[in-house]
Amino acid sequence: MDCTLCGLPTLTPPLESDGHAFCCFGCQEVYRNFGADVLFNEPTSLSSTDAALLPSGNYNEAFLRIEGMHCSSCEYLIERMAVKVNGIVSAASSYATSTAKIVYDPDIIQEDDLSNALKISGYKTRLSSEGMPEYDNRMDLLRLVVGLTFGGLVMMLYVAFFYPTHLGVIEKSDFDVIGWLAYSAAPWSIFGLTTVLIIYVAAPIFRGAWIGLRARMLNMDNLLAISILAAYGYSVSQLVEGSLDLYFDVAAAIILVVTIGRYVERGAKAEATQELMKIMQSWAPKARIRWGGDYRLQPIEELEPGEHVIIWEGEAIPVNGTIVAGSAAIDESLMTGEPFPVAREPGQEVLGGSCVVEGSLEIKVGPTVESQMDNLARILWNVQSSNAGAQGLADKVARVFVPLVMVLAVIVSGLTLAFGGDPRDALLAGLATLIVSCPCTFGLAIPLTTAVGVSAALRQGIIITSADAFEKAPKIDTIAIDKTGTLSTGDMSVVEVFGDDAITKHAAAVERLSPHPIAKAIARLDTSLQADELEIHPGKGAMAQVENHHVAVGSKALFATLGWDIPSTLAAQTATIAPGEGVVSYVGWDGITHGAIVTRDQSRPEWMQVVDRLRKNCRVVLLSGAEHPSGYEDHFDDVFAGVPPEGKAAVIRQLRQQGTVVMIGDGSNDAPALAAANLGIAFGAPTTLAAEAADVIIPGERLERIFDAFDLLDTMRCRIRQNLGWALMYNAVAIPLAITGLLNPLFAALAMSASSLMVVFNSSRKIKGPPSCAIN
């Protein structure tokens, strides 16, 4: 019995609904919702590209886990079907991670309804936050065992009765004494065994080919299906006519090697993406809040600043906040790189996405509802599903390759017949061309390596945020390093105040509105006054209204710009602060400079060794927004001081004219420079802007870990080049051999599978120390 929707054979007993039989749950749901002809109609909703142009804030995002994705064609199907659902604006899916990202309108459809709505695409879906059972590979394993058993029997019968005569080891007449066994029982047994292989073991191949045809997007399964059916059909016709010119072994070999290869490939992908899955499952889209003496779960997007959220033991912290009650041991490894749980108590801040290992907490949501895990999950999903750079080129090659190979196979068969070859030779040449011309090596070369690299980086506490980070900066000419927060800890503290209490009160009120590290230190001095109408002067300071006074806090350059004179007495006092011993922030209001506050941060203990090591390989320059010397200058090749944020980006662009540039920074004011560099590295506790602008995030306090990042990027870059080189070499050698008839379809199937497994093996190798071409 065939499936009503897709036409494939059904299970025994079949899935039935309203008098129709279906091969799988997906076909049943698609037919129930849309009927047989609507599946691949063009979607009328907004495309992903259009959705990207929509104003932010009106739509929400959700991540879903998907069961039943067979190949990259499933991505296309899911995306096209999802946008048919009213309320879903756009959808993007990743075969590598079995995940989909849905952008939806909460006024039309609720997040809890997305899973049921997406069943129309023929897959089982579940919100990532609901967890997902461990991947059950028992059916795949059963299919593999059946394939090995029946395929092995086919090959044994060929070895016993066919290959000896093909190779000239014995004469065909030598089998006359066992004629019935050799000429009837063995061929028909091979026919039966191969038929089982085609119906059961090769079902995923034919399903993928059918999806490709219905979606009008040819894929590798189409090539395989044509090859299998051509070899099988030719052999059946020869068997019926009484001929023993049979090629069941070709069909069996194709099915067997592809099944083995895909089983190994799925295992490699699962291992490569396990860290990303951990992050997706840790991302909590709901928060538990107090409600009338009880608790209720509320979507994160509905939380308000200042609300209290309850987190119990074993749960993920949904948003950033401050502990108001309880204490706990918290696993922050994904956020900060800290390998061990840390103790947190009332008054301390916690990061959304970290996990409560022991204890329970009540936290107060900060001034903005923000989750580090939300940002991290989105960044990492985009990395794994992106097709930028060489991956985009490889995808285009793979898409063009399939129809091109089909045309080439037809031409080869036609030319073989035209030049006097018999139909047997023409069939074999065409089959070999179809089988050997595998775009899988192109399709796997980069995404699997990227998945392995991202996973390895996460295990080291390094976050790759750009899909083409592995392709960037193969040879580094210049490294630009931001001072505050990178070479120093960025934790400023007040060491001296020139002036009375009014100075600290007015300055603290203004600086409480500013995110700058110096401002945070000054803001801790006093909380008695409030400020508004903040005006930031990048690289110089800030101004605001405090109790009807126009207050300015900042550098000498800010006061010069304002035209506010600095009294000679105050200037003499601040002159005692030696360069590198502190930062002087002048404080004044209503045109008069009243005093100054001196702050200082601590240098990282390892900064000097890190900079000296970097200088052995490339030019290293210092970027700083401060105008005064800081004590770091003697260890750099060039120093750019007093540079505002927009100026840092201009410096990077200028440096890029002289070669490849890497920028290392941490704050929001570094974001333009990080984006302008060939490779941007956000270090420490980077702000959201810096993290989004960077290609790599290195959380934590150990500056020397940038060498781990360089080593990792270089290793994965080398593997990508090796994979692409192997793919090009394989096709350059194998296709001409197949076209000229020098490659048998059986060996073509083995070569095709071996090439894919070679890429899988090379991509999945463990990373062992820095390669020779890394910065060391």
Side-chain angles (χ1 to χ4, degrees):
M1 185 180 296
D2 293 336
C3 176
T4 302
L5 184 68
C6 70
L8 291 178
T10 60
L11 302 174
T12 303
L15 296 171
E16 295 185 348
S17 177
D18 299 327
H20 299 284
F22 302 92
C23 66
C24 64
F25 173 84
C27 287
Q28 182 184 41
E29 289 299 309
V30 171
Y31 187 90
R32 179 183 298 167
N33 285 274
F34 287 94
D37 298 323
V38 74
L39 178 58
F40 290 98
N41 291 341
E42 290 294 330
T44 56
S45 300
L46 292 171
S47 67
S48 298
T49 303
D50 296 329
L53 301 176
L54 293 170
S56 60
N58 297 332
Y59 303 100
N60 294 340
E61 284 183 346
F63 292 99
L64 281 80
R65 295 290 306 277
I66 301 173
E67 286 186 275
M69 295 184 73
H70 299 296
C71 61
S72 57
S73 298
C74 294
E75 297 178 355
Y76 187 70
L77 172 62
I78 291 170
E79 291 165 8
R80 296 187 66 177
M81 292 303 301
V83 294
K84 292 176 180 290
V85 178
N86 186 31
I88 294 182
V89 178
S90 69
S93 60
S94 170
Y95 167 53
T97 59
S98 296
T99 308
K101 182 177 72 172
I102 306 298
V103 179
Y104 65 97
D105 187 342
D107 294 332
I108 300 176
I109 186 171
Q110 297 300 308
E111 184 180 65
D112 292 338
D113 298 329
L114 291 177
S115 295
N116 289 329
L118 286 182
K119 285 182 180 178
I120 61 172
S121 61
Y123 302 88
K124 293 183 179 180
T125 63
R126 183 180 301 198
L127 290 170
S128 294
S129 57
E130 297 175 4
M132 198 74 169
E134 291 293 326
Y135 171 63
D136 187 357
N137 68 342
R138 288 178 297 179
M139 291 303 296
D140 291 333
L141 184 59
L142 177 61
R143 203 182 302 275
L144 177 63
V145 171
V146 172
L148 288 170
T149 302
F150 283 67
L153 290 174
V154 169
M155 303 312 294
M156 288 173 59
L157 290 172
Y158 263 87
V159 169
F161 297 105
F162 290 89
Y163 292 155
T165 59
H166 291 169
L167 298 174
V169 176
I170 61 176
E171 296 295 330
K172 185 177 179 181
S173 58
D174 294 338
F175 285 117
D176 290 346
V177 294
I178 52 171
W180 177 83
L181 180 62
Y183 304 143
S184 180
W188 283 100
S189 297
I190 291 173
F191 161 73
L193 293 169
T194 308
T195 301
V196 173
L197 289 173
I198 288 178
I199 292 175
Y200 178 66
V201 181
I205 297 175
F206 291 113
R207 181 172 179 80
W210 182 251
I211 288 175
L213 290 175
R214 293 293 300 271
R216 293 185 288 276
M217 187 182 71
L218 300 180
N219 54 36
M220 186 59 198
D221 287 332
N222 294 110
L223 295 183
L224 295 173
I226 292 173
S227 302
I228 292 169
L229 293 178
Y232 181 77
Y234 175 82
S235 300
V236 169
S237 66
Q238 292 296 302
L239 183 62
V240 172
E241 293 176 2
S243 171
L244 295 181
D245 185 24
L246 308 177
Y247 290 95
F248 289 117
D249 58 331
V250 173
I254 296 172
I255 295 171
L256 190 56
V257 297
V258 169
T259 301
I260 295 173
R262 290 186 175 178
Y263 184 83
V264 174
E265 178 187 322
R266 279 193 293 271
K269 285 183 176 181
E271 183 178 355
T273 58
Q274 62 183 347
E275 295 297 327
L276 178 59
M277 290 299 98
K278 181 180 178 182
I279 287 178
M280 293 297 185
Q281 291 174 352
S282 297
W283 181 55
K286 291 187 177 181
R288 182 184 296 104
I289 65 171
R290 294 189 184 277
W291 185 260
D294 202 351
Y295 304 108
R296 77 166 185 175
L297 292 177
Q298 180 170 300
I300 285 181
E301 58 269 14
E302 295 180 10
L303 284 178
E304 298 291 339
E307 279 195 290
H308 286 207
V309 177
I310 312 300
I311 305 100
W312 291 335
E313 185 172 309
E315 294 181 341
I317 298 174
V319 293
N320 301 345
T322 303
I323 300 175
V324 295
S327 60
I330 300 177
D331 180 0
E332 300 179 346
S333 58
L334 289 173
M335 303 294 103
T336 66
E338 172 61 46
F340 304 107
V342 294
R344 296 289 185 228
E345 299 178 346
Q348 294 183 303
E349 295 183 352
V350 292
L351 299 174
S354 52
C355 184
V356 176
V357 177
E358 186 178 38
S360 60
L361 297 173
E362 180 175 343
I363 68 170
K364 180 180 179 181
V365 180
T368 59
V369 181
E370 184 180 25
S371 170
Q372 292 290 91
M373 181 61 76
D374 186 356
N375 297 329
L376 181 57
R378 185 181 299 107
I379 288 171
L380 288 174
W381 192 94
N382 289 334
V383 171
Q384 297 247 329
S385 60
S386 173
N387 61 350
Q391 177 57 39
L393 178 60
D395 287 346
K396 293 176 183 177
V397 170
R399 283 197 295 267
V400 174
F401 215 61
V402 172
L404 184 63
V405 166
M406 288 185 172
V407 173
L408 184 61
V410 172
I411 293 175
V412 169
S413 298
L415 290 176
T416 303
L417 291 172
F419 284 97
D422 58 33
R424 172 182 174 277
D425 293 334
L427 174 66
L428 292 180
L431 284 179
T433 304
L434 279 177
I435 298 168
V436 82
S437 305
C438 175
C440 293
T441 47
F442 284 107
L444 288 172
I446 297 177
L448 188 56
T449 306
T450 299
V452 171
V454 169
S455 182
L458 287 171
R459 286 194 293 271
Q460 297 181 35
I462 298 170
I463 303 166
I464 308 296
T465 65
S466 171
D468 56 350
F470 299 119
E471 305 168 39
K472 291 184 175 182
K475 181 182 179 300
I476 300 172
D477 298 300
T478 304
I479 295 180
I481 303 179
D482 174 64
K483 179 178 70 69
T484 303
T486 307
L487 297 177
S488 63
T489 62
D491 295 326
M492 307 292 289
S493 60
V494 175
V495 295
E496 193 167 359
V497 176
F498 297 106
D500 55 23
D501 289 344
I503 299 294
T504 58
K505 290 182 178 181
H506 285 79
V510 174
E511 298 290 56
R512 199 175 302 119
L513 303 179
S514 173
H516 196 280
I518 293 177
K520 292 180 179 179
I522 296 175
R524 289 193 290 265
L525 293 175
D526 188 87
T527 59
S528 60
L529 300 181
Q530 300 295 322
D532 55 17
E533 299 182 19
L534 178 68
E535 181 181 341
I536 297 290
H537 294 260
K540 298 179 180 179
M543 301 181 69
Q545 288 292 124
V546 181
E547 291 190 335
N548 298 320
H549 296 296
H550 199 47
V551 181
V553 183
S555 65
K556 185 183 296 185
L558 173 62
F559 280 72
T561 301
L562 297 175
W564 296 8
D565 293 331
I566 298 176
S568 57
T569 303
L570 180 60
Q573 290 175 316
T574 57
T576 61
I577 307 300
E581 291 187 356
V583 178
V584 178
S585 298
Y586 292 95
V587 182
W589 52 87
D590 300 334
I592 301 173
T593 306
H594 294 276
I597 299 174
V598 182
T599 54
R600 182 171 60 200
D601 70 343
Q602 300 296 317
S603 298
R604 298 187 186 278
E606 72 278 11
W607 77 267
M608 192 179 302
Q609 291 81 0
V610 170
V611 172
D612 290 344
R613 184 176 168 187
L614 289 173
R615 291 181 67 188
K616 293 178 181 179
N617 297 275
C618 56
R619 175 189 179 198
V620 183
V621 303
L622 175 66
L623 297 183
S624 175
E627 298 180 355
H628 51 77
S630 56
Y632 297 98
E633 289 78 8
D634 292 341
H635 293 269
F636 286 83
D637 297 300
D638 286 297
V639 177
F640 297 88
V643 183
E646 62 276 12
K648 291 182 181 180
V651 170
I652 295 297
R653 286 191 290 269
Q654 185 67 31
L655 292 173
R656 287 189 63 174
Q657 297 180 9
Q658 305 168 27
T660 303
V661 179
V662 174
M663 171 67 190
I664 304 174
D666 76 313
S668 296
N669 60 357
D670 297 323
L674 290 169
N678 296 95
L679 180 71
I681 299 178
F683 173 77
T687 63
T688 300
L689 281 177
E692 291 180 351
D695 301 294
V696 179
I697 301 175
I698 306 178
E701 301 296 327
R702 294 167 48 210
L703 185 60
E704 70 272 12
R705 294 177 67 229
I706 63 173
F707 296 107
D708 296 335
F710 283 132
D711 292 343
L712 178 69
L713 292 175
D714 198 81
T715 298
M716 305 318 294
R717 186 185 305 115
C718 290
R719 290 190 185 179
I720 288 175
R721 291 176 176 175
Q722 292 165 358
N723 288 345
L724 290 176
W726 168 252
L728 291 172
M729 183 180 69
Y730 162 78
N731 285 283
V733 173
I735 293 177
L737 290 176
I739 291 175
T740 55
L742 298 177
L743 192 62
N744 182 279
L746 179 62
F747 293 104
L750 293 173
M752 178 269 295
S753 184
S755 69
S756 296
L757 290 178
M758 180 77 75
V759 170
V760 170
F761 170 76
N762 188 51
S763 300
S764 303
R765 286 184 295 123
K766 298 295 183 183
I767 298 176
K768 300 178 181 179
S772 59
C773 47
I775 290 182
N776 50 35

